[in-house]
Amino acid sequence: MHRRRFISGFAAAGLGSLAASRAELVTSLFSATPPASRLRLIDVHHHMVPPFYLSENREGIIAAGGGRINPAYFSWTPDQSLEAMDRQGIATAILSLSVTAFWFGDRQAAVRTARRVNEYAADLVRSHRGRFGMFALIPVPDTEASLREIEYAYSILKAGGVALVTSYGDKWLGHSD
């Protein structure tokens, strides 16, 4: 996707969400069960926790969390996520892994994990058409592997974007080896 088209589409989506009246927005966010006609919000910051990710990376997640793990990691399921979306009037959620709990210093593990997480997200997108989209995880700071995963995520998995944070360990975006 060309950058200009992405930016204009993103801006249009933002302006569209601002068009709703404030009272209507507050009502849709806090009503217990919004009618289907109000399911039109898009959540672009919707974390998922693939079961394999938690079991394989528990110690790294705890270390990244300052010695603790968010209890939500243990209860996340696609069904629980869909129920929460319905309660809050969210039509579509863009799935991503919390990338701050991803880079644990092992490049090869990061490459494997990114691919597995992206495949998992793509499966959810396919099995819940219209409810989920995805932002791909890439194995930064491994530049070559990240570029390969971006190509795969866009061309094969049809990802809607890429999830990034500003630093991975002691490496900042734009750092060269």
Side-chain angles (χ1 to χ4, degrees):
M1 175 181 279
H2 295 288
R3 188 174 86 170
R4 192 173 297 212
R5 191 164 54 176
F6 171 78
I7 292 170
S8 65
F10 190 73
L15 289 173
S17 68
L18 291 174
S21 74
R22 185 176 186 174
E24 185 178 314
L25 181 59
V26 170
T27 301
S28 69
L29 288 175
F30 295 105
S31 65
T33 308
S37 65
R38 289 206 330 240
L39 291 177
R40 67 179 191 280
L41 298 174
I42 299 172
D43 179 357
V44 295
H45 191 127
H46 197 91
H47 291 301
M48 64 176 171
V49 183
F52 65 85
Y53 172 76
L54 179 59
S55 65
E56 293 172 9
N57 297 288
R58 185 183 188 101
E59 294 307 313
I61 295 167
I62 291 170
R68 65 176 191 80
I69 191 166
N70 186 323
Y73 273 76
F74 300 108
S75 63
W76 189 90
T77 66
D79 289 337
Q80 174 266 343
S81 192
L82 289 165
E83 290 169 13
M85 290 164 57
D86 289 344
R87 280 193 309 274
Q88 299 303 319
I90 298 168
T92 303
I94 309 302
L95 298 170
S96 63
L97 188 71
S98 177
V99 292
T100 57
F102 163 66
W103 174 251
F104 305 120
D106 180 335
R107 288 177 188 256
Q108 293 306 317
V111 169
R112 286 189 306 274
T113 300
R115 179 60 57 95
R116 287 185 69 201
V117 166
N118 292 338
E119 292 283 354
Y120 180 83
D123 285 343
L124 289 176
V125 171
R126 284 189 291 272
S127 63
H128 300 283
R129 292 245 182 249
R131 296 306 310 271
F132 291 129
M134 68 177 277
F135 285 154
L137 182 65
I138 59 173
V140 173
D142 187 327
T143 304
E144 291 304 314
S146 294
L147 291 171
R148 285 190 302 274
E149 193 61 28
I150 289 168
E151 180 179 5
Y152 181 78
Y154 281 129
S155 64
I156 304 300
L157 301 180
K158 307 301 181 202
V162 174
L164 293 171
V165 294
T166 57
S167 65
Y168 294 80
D170 65 345
K171 306 290 188 240
W172 295 84
L173 292 179
H175 178 90
S176 61
D177 289 326

